[in-house]
Amino acid sequence: MGPATEVTERADAPAPPPGAPPTRSRRQRAVPWGVVALWVVALVLAVPFAAKLADVTRDKPTDYLPGGADSTRVQHLVEQLPGGGTSALLLVHHREGGLTAADRQLARAQVRQVADAYTLAGEKDGAVPRSVPAKDGRTLLTAFSLTGMGDEDVRDEAVHRIRDRIADPPSGLTVELGGPGAVAADSSEIFESVDGTLMLGTAVVVAVLLILTYRSPVLWLVPLLVVGVAAMVSRALVYGLVQAFDLTATTMNTSVMTVLIFGAGTDYALLLVSRYREELRVHRRPFEAMVAALRGCGPAVLASSGTVAAGLLCLLAADLNSVNALGPVGAIGVVCALAAMMTLLPALLVLLGRRLFWPLIPAFGSTPTVRRSLFTFMGSSAGRRPVTVLVGGALLLGTLCLGVFALPGDLREQDTFTEKPESVAAQERVQKAFPESSSRPVTVLARTGAAPRVEQAVRGTDGVVRVEKERSGGGWTEWAAYAKDKPESAGEMATIRRLRGELDGLRGAEALVGGPSAQQLDLQETNADDRKVVIPLVLAAVLVILIALLRSLVAPLILTVAVVASWGAALGLGGLAFEPVLGFEGLDPGIPLMTFVFLVALGVDYGIFLMHRTREESLRGVPVAEASLTALRTTGGVIASAGIVLAATFCVLATLPMVLMAQLGLVIAVGVLLDTFLVRTYLVTSASQLLKRWMWWPGRLFRTESEGVRRE
């Protein structure tokens, strides 16, 4: 039988008599077709709803803020006050050689145009906001707030129209629009381009890697098609949850879900196809080979997806809105990827038969060519010197972990983009021209009945240099308080804390402090609190799943400690690269928590694949030390491919123009590669060589091998 021969039923086999039950071959063909039909129906139903997900994706400040924070309540309240939400803007005129009289006249005319076109908070009808010149005479600043900007589209349209009015200034004069409202509008513009770019980029990366892995002109299309189906169904399900339960779907959440589906789904496909290829050499019919493959790798894939889903659902305990919602959104993506890869992919592979693997077709009864692979060499070195390898690897990871002390400080709002938009350029110019004071107000809200007491307390707070009443209505009064220190500096943060302390003691005032700087402060504090809650939950969930799968206490503990070390090392490498190499001015406060959840949950996947195969070999009577080397030799290549695919998909996030996405993608990618090529290959294998049967304590394998040792 040649390597390209398709094994089928004999063509001259007698036909079954009328009314006889279906033959096994007919049933085996019917099951895959039925599975494909069900997925086709699901896809047809999902596509219209998947297309609507972008319409309900929200990126308001409150969607990324802590649910119970003062700044979040302030944001909600100002949007509900008469006139809707306000958008604070800064109009900045600058000339290097000094502003001329014509420049000042032009600036006044432009401000007048804005005042005529929009209602300005805190200004009487027809009044024009006061412009403030810098001491060096080169910069003129006009701060104002537009009312009725509660709707994002209305705000963005206003920002674009004002920019159109100030476009094409005279030669040498720079006119820029900044402030929180302009930053939000620029963010919206960036977010709108993320979804399509990310989906296309991830698909291309996965396609290239699958072609290189399978070395087949056709086979790579099947997993990619199945991943695409899973992505569509998951988007439709998320849309349904948004509509039914008002789930917060942000661009960050849906982007991470896309990467998870492509990365994790492709990993499951690689593992299944690899095992299916093995079984095709043993079983005559593709259906039987697939059943054997699913029995062999199914438990590991189920446990793998279970750890990721469980880890993500632990994020529901977080107070931060965007992180909290990431849990169910990400879990939906993982479950859809699992369902598609364990049902639709097997059905398609069985229907398409062996020739799908052309030109490397696994013929029935054939023996694969045995080559001394890289992982055979790595396993042998770990087997010869397990203590040296284990200690050396642990020292390397520990050294890399020290890099966390070099991580930059918390990311400021103006540094959230990798490519500087106009709003950020305007903010930086203002800070340089007016270093002695803040140009961005801190918002204070209080009950109108307590307004005199509140205003007195605000004016008397150390660090507050100016207070302006913005508006009243709905039983609330709003003030804009300006700190003496620049925005998001340690001095301004201290002023906000003092301000909150002063206002907390005013009975009946219900005073709240918000605004962009207060939001950043609440983000920092809430992320720190969320880490204390979520990290223990993730560790507990992962350990429970590992113990249930491996029937051991020691192996799960070793795998968990190993992936935590990978996370620390990846974060440490980020500390060495983010600011000195990549120029990131700060670390997003959510990075430690989100990278921990993903790296622990995803990193354990590869440990599960390895240890499950080790356990499978051990149950056949192979000693633990030898079984671990066999597992590494047989799974090393496919797991390495899976790790590279997963790391590459997360690297796609690093191409997006947001520092949060770039940092998230890079840390997870580095952590996955460390786990794939160092932790799982060397450290876990070395631990297995040293501990031998104790790796499985107190489970069945520990007892079985212990009895075997006593008999000998």
Side-chain angles (χ1 to χ4, degrees):
M1 184 188 308
T5 302
E6 176 74 39
V7 179
T8 61
E9 296 290 320
R10 288 181 53 190
D12 58 350
T23 64
R24 180 172 59 178
S25 178
R26 289 171 59 189
R27 288 197 302 269
Q28 290 177 358
R29 287 194 297 269
V31 171
W33 279 115
V35 171
V36 171
L38 288 175
W39 275 101
V40 169
V41 172
L43 183 62
V44 170
L45 295 175
V47 167
F49 298 104
K52 296 179 180 180
L53 179 59
D55 298 333
V56 298
T57 300
R58 307 183 319 208
D59 291 297
K60 290 184 178 181
T62 51
D63 297 322
Y64 290 88
L65 291 175
D70 278 10
S71 60
T72 309
R73 291 190 60 197
V74 168
Q75 188 69 31
H76 283 303
L77 284 170
V78 296
E79 292 174 1
Q80 296 169 8
L81 290 177
T86 61
S87 286
L89 298 172
L90 301 174
L91 186 58
V92 185
H93 293 76
H94 176 83
R95 185 184 289 273
E96 280 297 320
L99 293 169
T100 65
D103 294 337
R104 296 176 187 275
Q105 185 177 359
L106 174 63
R108 194 67 176 170
Q110 290 175 340
V111 173
R112 166 58 68 185
Q113 289 179 340
V114 173
D116 290 342
Y118 299 96
T119 302
L120 306 186
E123 302 289 345
K124 296 181 180 179
D125 292 341
V128 176
R130 182 172 61 93
S131 298
V132 181
K135 291 181 179 179
D136 60 10
R138 297 188 299 173
T139 305
L140 187 67
L141 169 64
T142 308
F144 55 92
S145 296
L146 307 183
T147 63
M149 298 291 128
D151 184 85
E152 293 179 41
D153 294 334
V154 173
R155 176 204 62 205
D156 296 348
E157 180 65 22
V159 170
H160 292 317
R161 286 189 177 184
I162 294 174
R163 283 177 172 165
D164 289 340
R165 294 175 185 272
I166 63 176
D168 300 324
S171 177
L173 179 66
T174 300
V175 185
E176 296 164 322
L177 186 67
V183 171
D186 289 337
S187 300
S188 296
E189 187 173 353
I190 291 172
F191 285 142
E192 287 174 0
S193 64
V194 164
D195 206 21
T197 302
L198 183 66
M199 182 76 77
L200 178 61
T202 308
V204 170
V205 167
V206 169
V208 170
L209 291 174
L210 285 176
I211 292 171
L212 294 176
T213 300
Y214 290 140
R215 289 172 292 172
S216 168
V218 180
L219 178 58
W220 64 275
L221 284 168
V222 180
L224 190 62
L225 172 65
V226 175
V227 169
V229 171
M232 283 295 172
V233 172
S234 64
R235 290 177 67 86
L237 289 175
V238 171
Y239 173 80
L241 287 180
V242 172
Q243 295 295 91
F245 302 103
D246 197 28
L247 180 73
T248 301
T250 66
T251 298
M252 182 194 78
N253 293 345
T254 55
S255 297
V256 171
M257 182 186 72
T258 298
V259 171
L260 268 178
I261 293 169
F262 276 85
T266 305
D267 279 5
Y268 304 152
L270 288 169
L271 193 69
L272 176 65
V273 172
S274 175
R275 189 60 178 263
Y276 177 54
R277 189 195 296 264
E278 290 181 32
E279 300 296 342
L280 281 172
R281 302 181 188 277
V282 180
H283 297 274
R284 183 179 299 276
R285 296 181 178 87
F287 184 90
E288 295 170 350
M290 181 56 71
V291 170
L294 288 171
R295 286 174 178 168
C297 69
V301 174
L302 285 171
S304 168
S305 60
T307 57
V308 179
L312 287 168
L313 289 176
C314 290
L315 291 174
L316 287 169
D319 187 38
L320 197 63
N321 288 342
S322 56
V323 174
N324 178 289
L326 178 59
V329 171
I332 286 171
V334 171
V335 171
C336 285
L338 170 70
M341 292 305 168
M342 292 292 102
T343 58
L344 179 59
L345 178 61
L348 291 174
L349 291 175
V350 169
L351 290 174
L352 294 171
R354 298 172 188 266
R355 289 193 176 91
L356 183 64
F357 289 88
W358 184 85
L360 305 175
I361 299 176
F364 171 64
S366 64
T367 302
T369 303
V370 178
R371 298 184 179 90
R372 183 173 174 80
S373 67
L374 171 65
F375 294 96
T376 302
F377 169 78
M378 297 171 82
S380 299
S381 62
R384 289 193 304 269
R385 300 181 181 85
V387 175
T388 302
V389 171
L390 188 60
V391 172
L395 288 175
L396 175 59
L397 288 177
T399 302
L400 293 176
C401 288
L402 296 176
V404 299
F405 295 106
L407 285 168
D410 290 313
L411 192 69
R412 299 177 300 173
E413 183 185 46
Q414 68 189 60
D415 298 323
T416 55
F417 305 105
T418 57
E419 300 172 4
K420 189 183 301 182
E422 179 181 328
S423 56
V424 172
Q427 184 67 37
E428 292 179 348
R429 194 181 300 280
V430 169
Q431 290 179 4
K432 184 178 180 181
F434 301 89
E436 70 283 354
S437 64
S438 173
S439 58
R440 190 165 70 184
V442 176
T443 302
V444 178
L445 276 179
R447 288 296 182 181
T448 301
R453 291 185 293 138
V454 171
E455 184 168 342
Q456 182 180 3
V458 174
R459 293 185 183 277
T461 301
D462 184 30
V464 175
V465 295
R466 190 169 89 252
V467 180
E468 297 176 357
K469 183 179 289 187
E470 290 288 309
R471 54 179 170 159
S472 300
W476 294 89
T477 298
E478 178 184 354
W479 295 267
Y482 292 84
K484 67 179 180 180
D485 300 291
K486 62 183 181 180
E488 297 180 51
S489 64
E492 190 195 38
M493 294 300 184
T495 298
I496 292 173
R497 290 190 180 96
R498 286 193 296 269
L499 188 56
R500 284 176 168 171
E502 292 286 341
L503 297 177
D504 283 345
L506 299 179
R507 291 186 179 181
E510 298 184 38
L512 302 168
V513 179
S517 295
Q519 291 171 3
Q520 293 299 109
L521 177 61
D522 288 336
L523 281 173
Q524 297 167 17
E525 295 178 347
T526 303
N527 272 293
D529 292 339
D530 285 346
R531 287 195 293 270
K532 298 175 185 176
V533 175
V534 175
I535 286 178
L537 287 176
V538 172
L539 292 175
V542 168
L543 278 172
V544 167
I545 293 174
L546 288 177
I547 291 170
L549 174 72
L550 301 178
R551 306 292 196 275
S552 164
L553 293 178
V554 176
L557 284 172
I558 289 175
L559 291 178
T560 303
V561 170
V563 293
V564 171
S566 296
W567 167 71
L571 205 59
L573 283 172
L576 299 176
F578 283 161
E579 191 169 12
V581 179
L582 301 175
F584 298 153
E585 297 295 331
L587 180 74
D588 188 279
I591 288 297
L593 176 60
M594 286 191 288
T595 54
F596 180 87
V597 172
F598 282 108
L599 280 179
V600 169
L602 292 170
V604 164
D605 282 7
Y606 304 124
I608 287 174
F609 298 154
L610 178 68
M611 295 306 295
H612 184 265
R613 188 60 180 261
T614 302
R615 187 173 187 274
E616 190 177 343
E617 296 292 331
S618 298
L619 288 172
R620 296 171 181 167
V622 180
V624 173
E626 183 181 340
S628 64
L629 297 180
T630 302
L632 179 61
R633 184 177 63 253
T634 55
T635 67
V638 65
I639 296 177
S641 299
I644 292 172
V645 168
L646 188 62
T649 54
F650 272 96
C651 278
V652 176
L653 285 178
T655 64
L656 301 180
M658 289 175 285
V659 172
L660 166 62
M661 296 295 195
Q663 292 177 338
L664 183 68
L666 290 174
V667 172
I668 294 177
V670 170
V672 167
L673 293 176
L674 282 173
D675 188 78
T676 302
F677 292 101
L678 174 61
V679 173
R680 177 190 56 80
T681 305
Y682 275 122
L683 302 191
V684 174
T685 303
S686 298
S688 297
Q689 296 293 303
L690 287 172
L691 294 173
K692 296 182 172 61
R693 65 188 180 89
W694 286 95
M695 194 75 167
W696 301 106
W697 182 86
R700 171 188 169 189
L701 285 176
F702 169 79
R703 297 192 302 271
T704 302
E705 191 157 321
S706 178
E707 292 170 359
V709 171
R710 285 200 298 270
R711 284 196 299 269
E712 292 177 2

